Structure formats: C-alpha cells, structure tokens
Amino acid sequence: MNKRTSFQFGEDYLTAGTALSLARGDTKGIVSEPVWKRIRESHEVVQAIVDKGHPVYGINTGFGPLCTTSISKEETQILQKNILQSHSVGVGDPIDIELAKLMLVLKIHSLAKGFSGISENTLKRLIWHLESEAIPVVPSKGSVGASGDLAPLSHLFLPLLGLGKVNFKGELITGAELFDKTGKTPIELGPKEGLALINGTQFIAAHAIKVLDVFYNCLTHADIIGAMMIEGLQGSIKPFYNELHSLRPYKGTQHVAKRVKSLLEGSEIMEDHIDCERVQDPYSLRCIPQVHGASRNAWLHLKELLEVELNSVTDNPVIIDRDLTISGGNFHGQPLAMALDYACLAASELGNISDRRVYLALEGNSPGIPKLLMKETGINSGYMILQYTSAALASENKVLCFPASADSIPTSLGQEDHVSMGSISGRKALQVIENVEKILAIELLTAAQAFEFRKPLKSGAILEMVHKELRKKVSFASEDRVFADDIEEGITMIKGRSIIEVVKSISNKKGYSLKTPFSKEFEVY
C-alpha cells in the first residue's frame, strides 16, 4: 500500500493507498496557495453568474426536474441549505467511520481541483472535520449512484449546518452539540455550494477503495494458504512453471504462479513425492494460477479505473472558466459500478475455489492424510463441519454476485432516467469479501492440519514460519473441540495481516523473493 508523509489536495495524484493513509491520519493533507487561488477564482465565477442572472443549472435554478425553475439572487443561499436537508433521506445502518473519512478525503481532493465553485471557508471546514476526528454519520442505503451519491453525501455535510450526527473523538453527538463543544458556527453556503457538496461519486469511490484494500488482502492470503494446502496434500509444483504460463501470458496468472512456486521452493515435502505415480491434481490445486490469477486481473482492472475516479471532478455543473460552465454527467457512477460488480464476482470465485480445497483436504485421498483430517474419527467428526460453513458462505456469495449495475430504476420524475446503482455494487462487494475472509480462515486451519501430517518433513522457510505463526493461536486438533473459536482466531489473523508480515519478514531475511515482473502492478496501490 502506498504511504507518504504529506499530500497536496487538488494537485498530487491520489491512489487508494494514499487515501487510506489520509483517512487514518498517517499522511498529512495540505492545500497550497496556488490551489487556494484556483478555488477562489472558481467561486468568483459562480458569484458572477448569480449577479448576471443568466440561468445555469443548480446555481440559480432548481434541481432535477425543477431545472427550469428560476431562483432569485436573494434565494440562492436558501436553495443550497434546503438541498442538504431535502436530500438527506438515507436509511439503514451507518457506514463504517473509515468509509466516512474516505468520503471526506475524496470530496476535499475533488473540490480542491477548482472546478466546483466551492468557497475557501467551506473547504477549510471540511478539512477541519477530517483533522479533528469530527466524522459525520452516514446511512448505508439510499443512493442510486447517479447525480452522484446524493443521499449519503447530504448526510455527510449536514453537520456544516449544525444538523445530523457526528462521531466526535469516539462520542456520538448531534451537529448542534458539536458546535457547542468546539465553538464552531454554521456554514453559510453560497450559490452552488450545496450542490457541489452532494453531487459526486465519493460514496461509491470510498467503497471501491475499501474493496481494493481488503480484496488485495484476500488475494495475498489465498496464494499463501493455497501453497500450504499443496504441501499438505502433496500436490505437484509443475503447474506453476513459467514454461506453462508463458504460453498463455495473462499478468495475474503469471504473477500467482511465480509467487506460489517461490513459496514451495526448498521444500522437503515437495521433494519427497517428486517421482510419485499420481499424474495430475484436482483443479482446485492445479488451476490456482488460472483462478487466482483471473481474480488478480479483476483487482487490477478496479485499481486502474479507481485511480482515474479518485483524481477526477465528479460534481455538476462544472466551472471550466469564466466563459464556460457545463452541466453534464460526470457524477454518473457507471464506470465504478461495473468494475465493482466484476470485483465482487472475482472475490466470490476466490472463496469458491478455497472451499473446494477445504473439501479436498477432508476426503482422505492424499497419502498420509486421514479422512476428515483426524486419525480417531467416529467418536470425533474432525473437520467435517467446518466445510459446511465454508460451503454456506460460498453459496451466499453466489447469490450476492448478481450485478447491481445491471439494474436501473428512473428517478427525479424521469430527469434522471438511467442510474448506476453503484453504491449497491460497492456495499455488496464488501459483503462478499468479508465472507471470503472467513472461508480463507477455514482453509488456513485445514491446510495447517494437513501440513502437520507431513512431519518430520519440512516445507520451505516461508511456509514453515506461516505454520508456526498459526500454531501460536491455534493448536493441532487430535480430537473434537469448539472449532468456532479456531475459526475466529483464523479470521483475526487474516484481517490483521500477521501472516503477510511473517512472509515479508522471512523473504527479507532469508533472501526468498516473491517478486515478479508484475509486482508493481499487483502489490502496490
């Protein structure tokens, strides 16, 4: 993940990793004087439009189907306040605080580009909210992903008026109470400011950042755990040879194959069965490069599109210069909506093949591996029921894979007659990935159990240390116990990325390199 000490809003190139670092307070966001100058000039253009009275959407007209309704100069301020209130119609549980922080980061960066007509004071207040840990409460449902994420963005900015709710330094309070605690006063929104705040794709894009981050974590763990399962079940290393994948050179496939082959290098377990009579492995082992690699390609596609979005202006209308203001559709979420649906499917498939490897481990068809991964069965059920859970999660993911972007319900009395539903794409993708984390935790437990039966043979240095790291939390199971506790430990390890840190540490110390020609594309974001 990209990290930096400082970032210039409106100027620097924003990546998902930098956005997360800004949201987490690890990177300092700044606005340079040239950017402030550009912001002031854009705001002056809006003021000039109001003074001249020439109709421009959202500045001196109503919104949506009311775009032909003229608004007087005296009423423009009321219009902007009203739009925040009327569009705050979100429902459902609040989004995670980090997602709300990301929304703030993305909106600040977009507005700082100087094409939105926002005032200097309003932008400074947004930065204050981010830096002061005064994070607005945003309901998770209500956006159709066109005209921007209107409802969630409206809730995000209600506290500017002293309305809505805020998580302030760990305490849930109202917008009015925030003013009492901090001495702040309501922002008086000028022409177009309310519209600039709520028009945009920041809800979708914030979810896409989280999807990219946690999906990356799953992809990395899937390769490591898959390699451990190959060891445990004495699979072949040949399907990971570059000679094979150079004949079908997808980036993701080649990246995965080389990484898994590197993880298996120096293994006594692999050497022990090099001349065995088995001709080939089941697909869930043999096709790891193709399946994991395809999911990697989907991840890369999302990363590339997301970086375009993060550095774009997505509100409406857009103030190009003093002579040109355009009411267009940069707020439409379709580009990310489709990519998020693709990522959702790709994550689901990662969990699907992981579940198949869990099932494979339980069959007892690999030499030396007992059925259900336990020697004394009958009185013990072994790891049988863990696969029930992975199967349930994999099945749930299949249901969630229906693409939200395939649907569109007209809104705004037909003025907004095609919408992206990208907010649903983002929320759904995160649900699927959370399930995949749990499936991978179950595979981690079963792979480690199979791995144990290969003793006294050892694997390579990396997988040996991964196994030891798990055994610090979860012991070998010789009889039944409450396996839910083991699963929770596995989930915690995957979410906490301790296994990835172990792999990095051993790679650096022992000189084992997991780098590939595609590492910059797949390992940096």
Side-chain angles (χ1 to χ4, degrees), residues 116-429:
S116 302
I118 201 81
S119 72
E120 188 173 349
N121 285 340
T122 300
L123 189 57
K124 284 181 177 178
R125 178 64 65 86
L126 303 191
I127 295 170
W128 175 85
H129 270 274
L130 181 65
E131 293 181 343
S132 302
E133 293 289 317
I135 310 303
V137 174
V138 178
S140 56
K141 300 180 182 182
S143 171
V144 295
S147 273
D149 295 306
L150 294 174
L153 283 168
S154 296
H155 283 278
L156 187 71
F157 298 121
L158 275 179
L160 298 180
L161 308 177
L163 304 174
K165 294 181 180 179
V166 179
N167 281 295
F168 183 56
K169 298 181 179 179
E171 184 184 2
L172 182 62
I173 59 176
T174 66
E177 288 170 334
L178 178 68
F179 287 167
D180 291 338
K181 286 178 176 288
T182 62
K184 295 290 182 184
T185 56
I187 289 285
E188 294 186 1
L189 296 174
K192 191 188 177 295
E193 287 200 276
L195 192 60
L197 290 170
I198 71 169
N199 253 328
T201 59
Q202 284 77 34
F203 182 88
I204 299 172
H207 279 75
I209 289 170
K210 287 293 288 184
V211 167
L212 199 77
D213 183 48
V214 293
F215 189 11
Y216 167 81
N217 186 42
C218 286
L219 287 162
T220 305
H221 277 101
D223 291 348
I224 297 166
I225 297 166
M228 182 177 281
M229 188 66 88
I230 291 168
E231 290 276 55
L233 303 184
Q234 288 195 324
S236 173
I237 198 172
K238 282 187 177 180
F240 302 89
Y241 281 12
N242 183 59
E243 289 84 346
L244 173 66
H245 300 291
S246 63
L247 301 177
R248 196 189 187 202
Y250 289 108
K251 290 180 181 180
T253 304
Q254 294 179 90
H255 185 67
V256 170
K258 189 177 188 310
R259 283 172 59 83
V260 174
K261 186 172 181 291
S262 297
L263 288 165
L264 297 172
E265 283 176 359
S267 167
E268 294 176 0
I269 300 170
M270 299 302 292
E271 289 292 327
D272 183 61
H273 66 99
I274 198 166
D275 296 319
C276 70
E277 296 179 357
R278 188 163 45 184
V279 177
Q280 61 182 17
D281 297 323
Y283 285 1
S284 60
L285 297 180
R286 187 174 13 136
C287 297
I288 283 175
Q290 290 80 5
V291 179
H292 289 198
S295 292
R296 289 265 184 182
N297 290 334
W299 180 92
L300 183 59
H301 181 64
L302 177 62
K303 172 190 164 184
E304 290 169 346
L305 294 187
L306 177 59
E307 287 189 5
V308 173
E309 192 79 359
L310 297 184
N311 295 284
S312 298
V313 176
T314 59
D315 70 295
N316 182 61
V318 174
I319 313 299
I320 303 298
D321 54 37
R322 292 187 179 275
D323 301 314
L324 182 60
T325 299
I326 300 176
S327 180
N330 276 8
F331 48 65
H332 202 294
Q334 194 77 356
L336 284 188
M338 294 175 71
L340 283 164
D341 283 334
Y342 179 22
C344 181
L345 172 63
S348 178
E349 281 301 289
L350 200 67
N352 203 359
I353 196 171
S354 175
D355 167 70
R356 293 299 80 213
R357 288 193 293 266
V358 172
Y359 186 91
L360 190 66
L362 302 181
E363 287 185 314
N365 291 335
S366 181
I369 302 297
K371 191 173 290 187
L372 302 177
L373 294 173
M374 201 172 282
K375 287 184 177 179
E376 301 293 332
T377 51
I379 190 172
N380 293 303
S381 295
Y383 280 71
M384 181 198 306
I385 309 300
L386 278 76
Q387 193 267 325
Y388 281 46
T389 301
S390 65
L393 293 166
S395 181
E396 181 178 317
N397 281 352
K398 292 173 189 177
V399 174
L400 290 168
C401 276
F402 182 86
S405 59
D407 185 36
S408 177
I409 298 176
T411 57
S412 195
L413 305 184
Q415 181 74 8
E416 295 157 12
D417 55 355
H418 180 279
V419 297
S420 75
M421 301 299 181
S423 62
I424 303 170
S425 301
R427 289 192 293 106
K428 202 154 54 65

Side-chain angles (χ1 to χ4, degrees), residues 75-96:
E75 292 173 322
T76 53
Q77 191 172 335
I78 299 172
L79 175 70
Q80 302 306 314
K81 179 180 178 181
N82 282 351
I83 193 175
L84 284 188
Q85 296 183 95
S86 66
H87 286 53
S88 297
V89 293
V91 296
D93 295 333
I95 61 173
D96 184 77

